[in-house]
Every structure is written in structure tokens, then in C-alpha cells.
Amino acid sequence: MPRRGLVAERLIGLFLFGLLLLTPPLIGAFDKATFVGGIPLLYLYLFLSWALLIALTALIVERPDPDEEIAESEPGADPDQVTNRAPRG
């Protein structure tokens, strides 16, 4: 269960970071008549902020659970089937 709590805390932090990136004062700083590679600076900022938020969300959500990595590295351990029975033979 600690893993879920950690993921939730990170996602809340990411949400707040996204709010900060998309607040009007910060967006206003990029609302200039400047072009970068033919793209208006504001559009470039919004697109890169959006892409950064998606990438960070993927990193947070898809990060493997350390307990699962340990269970998979043990020989003969099957994390999907946990039983206390001896193997049949």
C-alpha cells in the first residue's frame, strides 16, 4: 500500500506543477511576438509544457514497484501465484 500513497502524492505534486506552468502570469511571459523556428513562442511554450506533463505522468505511473522487482529476481518465485503448498512431484 505505501506504493499507492507515494504515487498519489507525486501525482498531486505534478498537478500543482501543471497549474503553476499554466497560470496566466507565466503564460503571459511567453505571449510575445517572437517566433522560434516559425512557431510562435506562446504555442511552443504550451506544447512543451503539455509534453513535459505527459512525460512526467508516464514516469510516475509506469515506474515499477521495487517489491515486484525483488520477487521477480528470486529464482522460482511467481509473484502472481503465492501459495504455501509444496510443489507436487
Side-chain angles (χ1 to χ4, degrees):
M1 285 298 214
R3 170 81 174 125
R4 288 183 183 172
L6 185 60
V7 169
E9 288 177 5
R10 288 180 178 168
L11 288 173
I12 290 169
L14 183 63
F15 172 76
L16 294 173
F17 178 64
L19 281 179
L20 178 70
L21 285 176
L22 300 175
T23 56
L26 193 56
I27 289 177
F30 292 94
D31 193 13
K32 308 272 189 247
T34 306
F35 290 86
V36 177
I39 302 171
L41 187 60
L42 177 62
Y43 293 172
L44 186 64
Y45 171 75
L46 290 174
F47 178 76
L48 291 177
S49 297
W50 172 71
L52 176 68
L53 290 172
I54 290 175
L56 290 174
T57 302
L59 284 175
I60 291 170
V61 173
E62 296 296 326
R63 179 174 288 169
D65 190 4
D67 295 335
E68 289 179 9
E69 289 179 2
I70 293 171
E72 290 175 0
S73 65
E74 295 176 2
D78 188 1
D80 294 331
Q81 297 178 350
V82 178
T83 61
N84 293 329
R85 293 184 282 167
R88 295 181 188 177

